[in-house]
Amino acid sequence: MTERSPKRSFATRPANPESWIKASDTPSARGSADGGYTARLTIDVTSELRGRIKIAAFQRGVTVAEMLRDLLAREFSSTEGDPS
């Protein structure tokens, strides 16, 4: 059997999670509304849940992305003393 390459593979866990998280902080092509950095996040959801999310966003008069960004910002707000 052949020996594995010493280079990091796609699923290799980082030695230092903090530096790994901050390493992806590069300016995106679109940028964010506040001129900061953005990062793409991909999740798998069922077709049924995707439909409910789209309906909720439509009823609120916002895009799915805007609604989910707000939801995530509320859930993971940066607070005083938060290490992030």
Side-chain angles (χ1 to χ4, degrees):
M1 189 171 268
T2 61
E3 196 170 315
R4 285 191 174 196
S5 166
K7 72 177 187 175
R8 289 180 55 168
S9 67
F10 175 76
T12 301
R13 291 182 186 255
N16 181 348
E18 279 300 312
S19 65
W20 176 69
I21 290 169
K22 292 180 184 345
S24 65
D25 289 348
T26 56
S28 73
R30 294 183 351 206
S32 67
D34 63 0
Y37 298 109
T38 62
R40 185 165 302 276
L41 176 66
T42 304
I43 62 169
D44 295 324
V45 296
T46 63
S47 295
E48 179 188 350
L49 178 57
R50 179 177 178 264
R52 292 195 321 255
I53 292 168
K54 289 178 75 170
I55 289 170
F58 178 78
Q59 290 172 337
R60 296 173 189 187
V62 297
T63 65
V64 170
E66 290 169 330
M67 185 179 74
L68 293 178
R69 277 192 292 267
D70 289 344
L71 179 133
L72 291 169
R74 281 193 312 272
E75 182 66 25
F76 301 103
S77 64
S78 59
T79 58
E80 191 85 18
D82 187 9
S84 59

